[in-house]
Amino acid sequence: MLDGTYHVDDPAPKSAADGAFRRAASPIRDQIDGPIDPARYHLYLAVNCPWAHRVWLMLTLKGVDMTKSFALPKRTDQGWVFDAEGRFFDPLNGFTALHELYATTGTYTGRITVPVLVDKETGALVNNESADILRILNRGLGGTDFLPTDRMDNIEAWNARIYPNLNNGVYRAGFARTQEAYDAAVMDVFDTLDAIEHQLSQTRYLTGDQLTEADIRLFPTLVRFDVGYHSAFKCNRARIIDYPNLWAYAREMYQMDGVPETVDFDIYRYGYHSKSELRNPLGIIPIGPSPDWAAPHGRG
């Protein structure tokens, strides 16, 4: 979108001249200080988007409800779109495409992305950066504090490593246009998974005995890895189920109250293997794998 007008062709290329994938920044970065009334705010999400998933997880683990609009899990030339009814209907505005929401700003320039936090009282788009929204919800809602001050340095260190090398690293591998770009990205992915596996041999969660924001930001990548990134993005040196500590940790998080409802393996499998000129020109969807995420994790 340029100056509030949607363009079918994305004016910002995803790959640089060196073949490496570059993710554009999220420009709507307003903050909310202090407690928030969840009834006042609305989230635009997509089930298949890992950045939206981390926000949905925060709400779930906080035990707080907030109205939500889920875009269809497959984008069209209109970007993220909605059905006229059902699961993928927009109950807030009845929009048919997410760019209609962004157009309400009148001046927005940038990519049309989820998640988006919207103020229902004013109609304003508050924030479309998932990392910001996580912290807005954590400090504004009651319940568990997933950013305890005594662990902040450790949380920030894990976030700084996991985001570029794993959360976004799988995309850097999957969208690489040169062998060199792919090699660098995929090594980052598995170096990070190896480091996490080692950490989880010593502590229950990334920063110790308490689940924190770092774990919430990691989980969406883990549940998509074996059914999507491993094959579709060529991150195939190993699977999550091949890491004993990481696989038990991932199952424990999956089995927390409400978390299974935020996960849809079929949507991930179909989405990452959808027809793509570069990655999957025939659009053939693989049959599996189907690991048992409900199996006992053995972590007490």
Side-chain angles (χ1 to χ4, degrees), residues 193-264:
L193 286 174
D194 291 345
I196 294 170
E197 172 70 7
H198 176 70
Q199 180 64 41
L200 295 175
S201 72
Q202 301 175 312
T203 57
R204 184 168 192 140
Y205 303 111
L206 287 175
T207 68
D209 59 356
Q210 179 182 345
L211 189 81
T212 68
E213 181 195 80
D215 303 288
I216 294 172
R217 288 173 51 134
L218 171 61
F219 181 77
T221 299
L222 302 182
V223 290
R224 288 161 173 77
F225 199 95
D226 290 4
V227 298
Y229 304 141
H230 181 270
S231 52
F233 285 2
K234 301 182 179 68
C235 295
N236 58 358
R237 194 194 78 184
R239 303 160 299 173
I240 299 304
I241 64 174
D242 297 323
Y243 292 91
N245 298 304
L246 186 53
W247 176 222
Y249 159 91
R251 295 201 311 281
E252 181 188 2
M253 288 193 65
Y254 174 81
Q255 293 169 29
M256 292 177 179
D257 288 346
V259 172
E261 287 70 34
T262 73
V263 174
D264 194 316

Side-chain angles (χ1 to χ4, degrees), residues 28-43:
I28 303 175
R29 306 290 295 273
D30 290 341
Q31 299 295 317
I32 302 171
D33 295 322
I36 64 173
D37 176 5
R40 177 174 172 171
Y41 296 93
H42 184 89
L43 281 166

Side-chain angles (χ1 to χ4, degrees), residues 76 147 195:
T76 72
L147 284 161

Side-chain angles (χ1 to χ4, degrees), residues 49-106:
C49 173
W51 322 116
H53 191 182
R54 57 169 63 169
V55 170
W56 192 7
L57 276 173
M58 176 64 79
L59 274 182
T60 299
L61 294 170
K62 283 279 190 179
V64 175
D65 194 19
M66 184 179 287
T67 59
K68 298 177 282 291
S69 297
F70 288 96
L72 278 161
K74 184 176 181 180
R75 281 175 283 186
T76 72
D77 63 356
Q78 296 299 302
W80 294 109
V81 296
F82 302 95
D83 275 342
E85 59 183 4
R87 182 185 185 187
F88 302 113
F89 170 72
D90 173 19
L92 182 63
N93 294 297
F95 288 142
T96 60
L98 187 62
H99 66 72
E100 296 173 62
L101 174 70
Y102 279 82
T104 63
T105 67

Side-chain angles (χ1 to χ4, degrees), residues 122-139:
T122 66
L125 279 62
V126 178
N127 201 296
N128 72 339
E129 168 52 58
S130 64
D132 289 354
I133 298 173
L134 280 178
R135 297 198 169 182
I136 289 170
L137 297 178
N138 181 70
R139 66 175 173 258

Side-chain angles (χ1 to χ4, degrees), residues 7 11 17 25 27 30 56 61 63 84 93 113-114 116-117 144-145 155 159 201 207 209 232 248 280 299-300:
H7 296 264
D30 290 341
W56 192 7
L61 294 170
N93 294 297
T113 61
V114 287
V116 189
L117 181 65
T144 303
D145 179 9
I155 291 168
N159 288 347
S201 72
T207 68
D209 59 356
N280 190 11
R299 307 182 93 221

